[in-house]
């Protein structure tokens, strides 16, 4: 592959929530800024820009990752999921979103997209987590409002519902 | 903040990456998982002219046991290695240590070799490699060399990896018969860098303790099996020799106390965990 020059913007094409999207980015542009400013997908939030807060967490090829620690040009050819794709097209919330709603698991909502994207992968890989495992998994997302208890309840409730639904 | 401008090369082959390093030298930076490099770029702690992205090199995305060691290629992530259930048998110390490396989202990207090359004094992977007495393979356009962990980690955030080299694999000795392994650390929050991290190996003849987070690089000491006052004295001497300094997270005195207490704890756990 040729070197992409810092002087220019380069085409970036990937799948965003099932649809192909395209834009242009300088090599140094962060994926989270590309999503927000080039594509207008502002559901993904930006907090610390060094990987600590988790607000920017999205899924790349299924794995939860920091969009602030990813370059837009690195997303080329990938399949990306963001919070905009979580609810059904008619607005019906996903089970996890519904559980957050019912359990008062959000207040200002700044941390929420990153937490939902993280917990979605977590529950796919750990369908029957203990409370300790949920707490550990949440360590990569900072919430300044809720005190976490409601978030933990929502995640545990979703896990139970999904297990019962699967039976 | 946002990174300063740089040119970007997504290497399709290892040779392409090595050619780029040969050409740009000190002006280039390798990007593996980006979990340490991206924060450094974002806060402009580093301003490379060229970023050479090796994360899509599929050939280096492997972990295999061979000849008494586990070989881990440059693009194998911490998450993929930790997710392998056989790791607890092949290299138990790494199975224990990897749980403490960041969060699952950072382990989804961060690599084993990237952690070694970043060489943070508190990092778990360099501590495990040093305690096990493992090795790293470095390749440049001109040559390949294999180097012991003790020589690879030079100082805080400094390794013997030269600007034209890529660490293509790390080699972890696999579990030996009759040996036990244990790991623990203390950090402010789960997933934070450790204030003090300790790794122990014990057999019927010896105990070995590695300490991270106190000195500028992981430090390892070995004794014949000791107990009671002899063990306390040995740990106390080791704690003072590490020469920790007061920092924002812990005083030197606290670090010494943690080395003594956590050291005794993991040595006991390693002795109890010995396989028969
Ligand atoms: C929120 C957060 C928490 C974290 N907590 C921890 C923790 O508790 N413990 C811990 O150990 N780490 C922690 N980290 C760091 C993380 O583990 C990094 O993944 C790791 O340190 C670097 O691996 P990487 O593949 O991401 O390397 P990169 O970030 O891509 O590179 C790091 C450095 O190594 C060089 N490099 C990388 N690979 C190679 C190679 N193959 N050959 C030559 N040079 C190379 C790069 O040029 C760069 O200088 C944390 C990171 C974040 C964002
Ligand atoms: S903005 Fe990405 S982790 Fe904070
Ligand atoms: S709801 Fe406000 S930060 Fe979490």
């Amino acid at each position: 592959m040729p070197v992409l020059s810092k002087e220019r913007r380069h085409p970036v094409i990937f799948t965003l929530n099932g649809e192909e999207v395209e834009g242009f980015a300088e090599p140094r542009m962060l994926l989270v800024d590309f999503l927000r400013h080039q594509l207008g997908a502002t559901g993904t939030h930006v907090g610390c820009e060094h990987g600590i807060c988790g607000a920017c967490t999205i899924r790349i090829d299924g794995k939860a990752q920091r969009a602030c620690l990813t370059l837009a040009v690195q997303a080329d050819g990938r399949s990306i999921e963001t919070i905009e794709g979580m609810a059904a097209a008619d607005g019906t919330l996903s089970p996890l979103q519904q559980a957050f709603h019912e359990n008062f698991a959000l207040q200002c909502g700044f941390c929420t997209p990153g937490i939902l994207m993280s917990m979605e992968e977590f529950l796919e890989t750990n369908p029957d987590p203990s409370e300790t495992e949920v707490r550990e998994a949440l360590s990569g997302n900072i919430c300044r409002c809720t005190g976490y208890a409601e978030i933990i309840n929502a995640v545990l409730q979703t896990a139970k519902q999904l297990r019962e639904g699967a039976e | 903040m946002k990174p300063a401008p740089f040119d970007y090369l997504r290497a399709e082959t290892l040779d392409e990456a090595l050619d780029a390093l040969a050409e740009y030298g000190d002006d280039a930076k390798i990007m593996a998982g980006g979990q340490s490099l991206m924060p450094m770029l974002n806060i402009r702690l580093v301003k490379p002219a060229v970023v050479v992205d090796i994360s899509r090199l599929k050939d280096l995305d492997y972990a295999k046991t061979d000849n008494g060691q586990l070989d881990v290629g440059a693009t194998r992530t911490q998450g993929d290695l930790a997710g392998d259930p056989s790791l607890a048998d092949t290299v138990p110390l790494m199975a224990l240590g990897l749980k403490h490396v960041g969060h699952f989202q950072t382990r989804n990207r961060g690599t084993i070799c990237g952690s070694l090359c970043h060489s943070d004094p508190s990092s778990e992977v360099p501590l495990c490699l040093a305690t096990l007495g493992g090795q790293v393979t470095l390749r440049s356009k001109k040559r390949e060399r294999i180097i012991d962990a003790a020589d690879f980690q030079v100082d805080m955030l400094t390794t013997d990896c030269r600007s034209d080299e890529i660490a293509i694999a790390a080699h972890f000795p696999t579990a030996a018969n009759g040996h036990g392994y244990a790991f623990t650390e203390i950090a402010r929050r789960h997933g934070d860098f450790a204030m003090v991290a300790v790794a122990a190996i014990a057999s019927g003849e010896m105990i070995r303790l590695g300490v991270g987070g106190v000195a500028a690089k992981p430090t390892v000491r070995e004794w014949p099996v000791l107990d009671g006052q002899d063990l306390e004295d040995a740990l106390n001497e080791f704690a003072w020799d590490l020469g920790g300094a007061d920092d924002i997270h812990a005083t030197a005195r606290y670090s010494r106390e943690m080395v003594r207490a956590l050291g005794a704890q993991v040595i006991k756990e390693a002795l109890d965990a010995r396989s028969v």
Side-chain angles (χ1 to χ4, degrees), chain A residues 1-7 26-30 33 46 48-52 57 60 63-66 68-71 73-78 114 118-119 121-122 136-141, chain B residues 1-12 16 24 31-36 38-39 41-44 49-51 53 55-56 77 79-80 99 102-106 108-109 190-192:
Chain A
M1 199 181 136
V3 174
L4 303 183
S5 161
K6 58 173 171 266
E7 308 291 343
E26 280 177 43
R28 66 164 163 160
M29 185 176 226
L30 305 180
D33 293 327
V46 205
C48 64
E49 292 184 334
H50 54 270
I52 307 284
T57 308
I60 306 178
K63 302 228 170 185
Q65 306 179 16
R66 306 294 201 221
C68 74
L69 302 186
T70 308
L71 299 170
V73 289
Q74 289 186 297
D76 198 51
R78 303 289 193 194
S118 297
M119 290 303 108
E121 186 202 340
F122 172 69
E136 260 178 38
L138 278 170
S139 71
N141 293 85
Chain B
M1 253 164 77
K2 312 293 178 192
F6 51 78
D7 292 341
Y8 170 85
L9 173 70
R10 186 169 82 215
E12 307 285 354
E16 195 182 359
Y24 301 107
M31 172 125 78
Q35 301 302 290
S36 295
M38 284 298 303
L41 288 169
N42 286 357
I43 58 178
R44 301 200 180 188
V50 191
V51 167
D53 182 358
S55 65
R56 294 210 200 189
T77 62
D80 281 346
K99 294 199 178 101
H103 313 284
F104 82 92
Q105 301 95 331
T106 65
N108 275 344
R109 284 277 290 286
H190 184 84
D192 260 11

Side-chain angles (χ1 to χ4, degrees), chain A residues 51, chain B residues 29-30 32-37 100 102 110-111 114-115 123-124 167 191 193:
Chain B
K29 265 277 174 210
I30 290 287
Q35 301 302 290
S36 295
L37 183 59
H100 298 275
T111 63
S115 182
S123 272
E124 292 81 2
F193 280 97

